[in-house]
Amino acid sequence: MKELLLTPESFRLDGRLWLQGPTDRFMGIGRLELLGHIAETGSISKAAQAMSMSYKKAWDLVNSMNAQVNTPLVSTQTGGSHGGGAVLTPAGRQVLEAFSAAQERFQEFIRQETERLLG
Amino acid sequence: MKELLLTPESFRLDGRLWLQGPTDRFMGIGRLELLGHIAETGSISKAAQAMSMSYKKAWDLVNSMNAQVNTPLVSTQTGGSHGGGAVLTPAGRQVLEAFSAAQERFQEFIRQETERLLG
DNA sequence: AAGCGTTATATTCTGTTGAACATAACGCTT
DNA sequence: AAGCGTTATGTTCAACAGAATATAACGCTT
């Protein structure tokens, strides 16, 4: 009977993937989810609530992303019938889709490596 | 002429891979490099110097790794002709090798994804 | 016995990060 | 004009992480 040093009950392979931009982090799993919630809800504040994140934090993230590209990812509007809102621009949808796909392939990579290391 | 939103001059795909243990992080790129330097130098303090890391930090990391497995990865000795020292156990060499390989495959994954996203 | 380089461990300081709170502006609705 | 939900922005406080400093113990060498 062979003793394994690393068992899947006690150890878990994990990882993160991100895009580093000119000044700050540009895209990561948190920012990606935030973009998804903004697309769904049409609002930064509702997206923040959905992630149990403060509005300020969410706004800072949106601001950081928009500041690092020529074409902003999120377009915002203050005032109006519903108080304002936020939508993804075409550039925003493009980034969301591309990074989502990369993220899924990364999860698949982690599954494979988990099999190798702990399986 | 097609304008790219994300150019490889301004954006860089990066990532991290780690093994989460029962209590703490168990293995990551930093701990891996530390194990490598310990294997080379036979000393925690020399390994720490090589990484511009305080001895205490290095010792804490070694202690954290050893505490999370039945068979320690690093065997230490105090006192003696050279003051003491540290060597990798067979388990330590095994973990070093296995995680190094995973790390290399991860770097290759990042290269591929960089090509897709920014290439 | 003194000196050495190392492991082993605690404490203190400090910088960074995130949370919490507070306020203003905006444009529609009533 | 007052109220609303939202975007936009600053400040303050708490928690955590890392760096710096300090000290002891150990076992060989001289």
Side-chain angles (χ1 to χ4, degrees):
Chain A
M1 170 179 170
K2 187 181 171 198
E3 289 290 329
L4 285 187
L5 184 62
L6 307 177
T7 65
E9 293 81 29
S10 299
F11 294 89
R12 191 178 105 259
L13 185 66
D14 204 351
R16 285 294 166 90
L17 199 65
W18 68 86
L19 270 172
Q20 190 67 25
T23 61
D24 280 319
R25 179 163 300 195
F26 173 69
M27 187 54 53
I29 181 66
R31 289 163 190 244
L32 185 69
E33 287 180 9
L34 182 60
L35 288 186
H37 284 293
I38 291 173
E40 283 175 15
T41 62
S43 149
I44 294 178
S45 72
K46 287 199 180 70
Q49 282 174 26
M51 297 179 70
S52 301
M53 176 186 288
S54 73
Y55 170 79
K56 175 167 177 28
K57 177 73 184 284
W59 186 88
D60 284 345
L61 290 174
V62 168
N63 186 244
S64 162
M65 291 187 271
N66 279 346
Q68 294 182 73
V69 280
N70 300 319
T71 310
L73 308 188
V74 176
S75 169
T76 61
Q77 187 192 351
T78 72
S81 59
H82 301 83
V87 295
L88 294 200
T89 65
R93 289 191 293 270
Q94 179 187 326
V95 167
L96 174 66
E97 193 158 337
F99 197 79
S100 279
Q103 195 66 37
E104 282 182 20
R105 291 189 291 269
F106 182 46
Q107 287 309 312
E108 177 56 28
F109 171 83
I110 289 194
R111 274 189 289 274
Q112 284 176 12
E113 290 298 323
T114 297
E115 189 65 24
R116 282 208 205 220
L117 292 173
L118 311 174
Chain B
M1 169 182 171
K2 188 180 170 197
E3 288 290 330
L4 285 186
L5 183 61
L6 307 177
T7 66
E9 293 81 30
S10 300
F11 294 89
R12 191 178 105 261
L13 185 66
D14 204 350
R16 286 293 167 91
L17 197 66
W18 68 86
L19 269 172
Q20 190 67 26
T23 61
D24 280 320
R25 179 164 299 195
F26 174 68
M27 187 53 53
I29 181 66
R31 290 163 190 245
L32 185 70
E33 286 179 9
L34 181 60
L35 288 185
H37 283 292
I38 290 173
E40 283 175 15
T41 62
S43 149
I44 295 178
S45 71
K46 287 200 180 68
Q49 282 175 26
M51 297 180 69
S52 301
M53 175 186 288
S54 72
Y55 169 78
K56 174 167 176 32
K57 178 72 184 284
W59 186 88
D60 283 346
L61 291 174
V62 168
N63 186 243
S64 162
M65 290 186 271
N66 279 346
Q68 294 182 76
V69 281
N70 300 319
T71 310
L73 307 188
V74 177
S75 168
T76 62
Q77 187 192 352
T78 72
S81 60
H82 300 83
V87 296
L88 294 200
T89 65
R93 288 192 293 271
Q94 179 186 326
V95 167
L96 174 66
E97 192 158 339
F99 197 79
S100 278
Q103 196 66 37
E104 282 183 21
R105 292 189 292 269
F106 182 47
Q107 288 309 311
E108 177 57 28
F109 172 82
I110 289 194
R111 274 189 289 274
Q112 284 177 12
E113 290 298 324
T114 297
E115 188 65 24
R116 282 208 205 221
L117 291 173
L118 311 174

